Amino acid sequence: KQWYQRRVRGVPMATIRLSLASDAPILIPLVNTIYEECEGHLWKPGHDRITPAVFEQYHRDRELVVAEMDGEIVGCVRMGRMVGYREVAMLVVRPDLRGKRIGSQLMEYISESAREDGCTRLEIELLYPRYQADKWKSSVRGWYERLGFVWDRDEDFGKYFPGFVELLALECNFIVMKKPL
């Protein structure tokens, strides 16, 4: 399924589609650069958010959704296919295009796709430092709340992802947020 390109309030909208294998050389550095900028302080040096093998898995499972403008990749999001819901992860938009509704368009695509598949909700897990405030994470949480996500619970990151704890620079939790469809 591919959404057509349209305009809202005179602003060109992105074309939203599932990933292609040929997207890897653009998407992998885009995701890793943005995650380093926004979440790098939470991880020890050398941790990549997505590797070629992970990209291949997400692509093969049809979980990676891409935003394009003028034929150029400008963002992406992962929609994990769970029983009865979709897990939203790894949402990135090129920094020079933030505020242009590209992230919202990606979320609209996931919402519509999830509804068509009979899902009843979306979920997201936001990683955040356990013992200090994080301005970026607070901003991201506020954005998801404006999209209709609500806090469900806090979880200990290490309990659910023990293999990744050693990669963290700080002790972290994650917030689980849900949005009914």
Side-chain angles (χ1 to χ4, degrees), residues 55 79 81 86 89 101 116 121 127 139 168:
F55 172 88
M79 60 171 182
R81 298 174 185 273
R86 292 289 177 266
R101 293 197 21 79
E116 288 174 1
R121 72 181 187 278
L127 183 69
S139 172
L168 291 171

Side-chain angles (χ1 to χ4, degrees), residues 39 112 127:
E39 232 180 50
E112 184 174 304
L127 183 69

Side-chain angles (χ1 to χ4, degrees), residues 1-179:
K1 170 184 156 183
Q2 180 169 320
W3 277 17
Y4 58 93
Q5 190 168 9
R6 57 188 171 143
R7 290 180 177 269
V8 174
R9 290 178 294 233
V11 176
M13 301 297 278
T15 300
I16 309 297
R17 61 171 174 78
L18 290 173
S19 65
L20 304 172
S22 60
D23 294 335
I26 302 298
L27 280 179
I28 293 170
L30 176 68
V31 169
N32 287 333
T33 298
I34 291 173
Y35 264 83
E36 176 61 30
E37 170 194 325
C38 302
E39 232 180 50
H41 63 290
L42 302 178
W43 299 93
K44 291 178 182 170
H47 173 72
D48 283 334
R49 176 60 179 88
I50 187 169
T51 63
V54 171
F55 172 88
E56 176 56 35
Q57 176 189 339
Y58 292 165
H59 171 68
R60 183 180 59 247
D61 293 344
R62 301 178 52 84
E63 293 185 345
L64 200 54
V65 179
V66 175
E68 284 185 334
M69 291 183 83
D70 299 321
E72 196 174 322
I73 293 173
V74 296
C76 71
V77 65
R78 178 179 169 250
M79 60 171 182
R81 298 174 185 273
M82 315 306 256
V83 176
Y85 70 97
R86 292 289 177 266
E87 182 182 70
V88 178
M90 206 174 69
L91 175 64
V92 299
V93 174
R94 223 173 59 192
D96 61 314
L97 295 172
R98 290 184 187 145
K100 305 285 186 196
R101 293 197 21 79
I102 295 166
S104 296
Q105 293 171 69
L106 286 162
M107 294 302 296
E108 289 168 12
Y109 179 96
I110 289 176
S111 295
E112 184 174 304
S113 175
R115 277 189 212 94
E116 288 174 1
D117 290 344
C119 295
T120 59
R121 72 181 187 278
L122 300 179
E123 281 192 19
I124 187 160
E125 299 168 352
L126 296 178
L127 183 69
Y128 69 95
R130 187 175 295 164
Y131 299 114
Q132 65 190 51
D134 189 299
K135 185 178 176 181
W136 175 256
K137 289 297 186 170
S138 294
S139 172
V140 170
R141 180 178 177 171
W143 185 79
Y144 281 110
E145 288 171 342
R146 288 189 297 280
L147 291 179
F149 283 82
V150 295
W151 175 89
D152 183 66
R153 65 189 184 279
D154 284 23
E155 294 287 353
D156 177 354
F157 181 82
K159 179 179 175 184
Y160 289 89
F161 305 103
F164 288 94
V165 171
E166 64 193 34
L167 302 174
L168 291 171
L170 304 168
E171 289 185 53
C172 291
N173 286 344
F174 61 88
I175 299 170
V176 177
M177 299 179 79
K178 295 182 179 182
K179 176 183 178 179

